[in-house]
Amino acid sequence: MTLLAVAVGGRGLVDPDEPVLRADDEALLRGRAAFETVRVYGRKPYRLTEHLERLAQSAERIGLPAANVLELAELAAQAIGAADTGDASLRLFWTPGNGEGAPTALALVSSLPTHYDALRERGQRLIALRGVRAEEPWLLPGVKSTSYAVNMAAEAEARRQGSDDAVFVDREGVVLEGPTTNIWWRRERTLYTPALELGILAGVTRAAVLELASGLDYEVVEGTFPLADLAGADEAFTSSSVREVMPVTELDGEALGRGPAADELQAALRAEATLGQ
Ligand SMILES: Cc1ncc(COP(=O)(O)O)c(C=O)c1O
């Protein structure tokens, strides 16, 4: 992903090579900042309102000053306008600075990773890794903060073991989510996905898939499921803003079947996101 455009609160567009944060920004010192990653289709950020709402909630839960969502939306528009592509990834940040001055809003537009279409074609290999079930409020369930080193370490461990990505399970083997994705699987006409009560992130794409699935006549069950349910599924896939709906074809070295739901939902997601373009 190449950084194409950057807009900063109070300053507007800046050169992407220019440093924009204080050296003592809490985002750097402690990972205390809220962020969002949004997929941009034809210069339109998909479900931006939902992303801004989640960012505002994350900021509140981390204890940051209230997020200025209007400013973030304006910066997003400026950065999208300045990038030379309509299909991109938009990242929004709300950081408290050093906690004494004003917070900083940032909008970053980057090119999309180039290998996702090939990965969608082939399907992802996942491994199950023990993760944290955020059962207490101070474990920040459902919060998207810049403390993502653990998530990135899990992804790296999956790659080290020859897989593409990880899926977290708790101590009892209950399926949670991926480091940057929500997880789904299908048995016959029913789709299953872990419930938000498990402390996972309320994915914006997850919410979109929930809506689109009923339009495609799938039943959806949200709940608490053991890993064996995922392993024994007819098909499985992940959902996330930039990777969209991505089939899973292997779990812990065992093949998983391919099926129609992932392709149908990916097509429906694209159709909704690019409506009128
Ligand atoms: C931990 C986690 N779960 C799920 C998701 C998927 O969320 P969304 O569909 O809003 O991109 C993400 C996105 O980055 C994530 O970090």
Side-chain angles (χ1 to χ4, degrees), residues 35-37 51 54 144 148 151 177-182 200-206 239-242:
F35 84 105
E36 285 294 322
T37 305
H51 281 285
R54 188 171 67 186
K144 205 163 160 72
Y148 254 46
N151 304 48
E177 63 188 333
T180 61
T181 63
N182 290 110
I200 60 171
L201 191 75
V204 170
T205 323
R206 179 186 182 280
S239 68
S240 69
S241 294
V242 174

Side-chain angles (χ1 to χ4, degrees), residues 172-195:
E172 283 78 47
V174 169
V175 187
L176 301 172
E177 63 188 333
T180 61
T181 63
N182 290 110
I183 182 90
W184 299 77
W185 59 95
R186 178 184 64 81
R187 257 183 197 253
E188 300 185 342
R189 296 296 301 174
T190 305
L191 300 177
Y192 298 86
T193 196

Side-chain angles (χ1 to χ4, degrees), residues 192-240:
Y192 298 86
T193 196
L196 299 183
E197 289 69 44
L198 293 166
I200 60 171
L201 191 75
V204 170
T205 323
R206 179 186 182 280
V209 168
L210 274 169
E211 286 169 32
L212 296 168
S214 61
L216 292 165
D217 283 335
Y218 288 103
E219 294 272 318
V220 183
V221 181
E222 300 170 75
T224 302
F225 306 109
L227 187 62
D229 283 16
L230 169 58
D234 293 339
E235 71 169 295
F237 54 91
T238 60
S239 68
S240 69

Side-chain angles (χ1 to χ4, degrees), residues 79-104:
I80 291 167
D84 63 2
T85 174
D87 290 309
S89 154
L90 164 70
R91 278 174 292 174
L92 300 172
F93 292 86
W94 181 251
T95 92
N98 65 358
E100 287 164 18
T104 305

Side-chain angles (χ1 to χ4, degrees), residues 23-119:
D24 61 356
D25 193 295
E26 284 278 289
L28 172 67
L29 300 191
R30 314 240 185 231
R32 275 186 76 240
F35 84 105
E36 285 294 322
T37 305
V38 185
R39 173 67 150 88
V40 180
Y41 297 89
R43 298 200 181 274
K44 270 177 45 189
Y46 179 65
R47 298 198 176 201
L48 181 62
T49 307
E50 286 88 333
H51 281 285
L52 289 171
E53 275 169 14
R54 188 171 67 186
L55 184 138
Q57 282 162 14
S58 295
E60 191 185 331
R61 301 287 305 286
I62 301 167
L64 309 181
N68 186 340
V69 293
L70 291 179
E71 180 184 39
L72 283 158
E74 174 55 31
L75 295 171
Q78 286 178 17
I80 291 167
D84 63 2
T85 174
D87 290 309
S89 154
L90 164 70
R91 278 174 292 174
L92 300 172
F93 292 86
W94 181 251
T95 92
N98 65 358
E100 287 164 18
T104 305
L106 285 178
L108 278 59
V109 172
S110 304
S111 60
L112 293 167
T114 51
H115 64 286
Y116 282 171
D117 286 338
L119 190 58

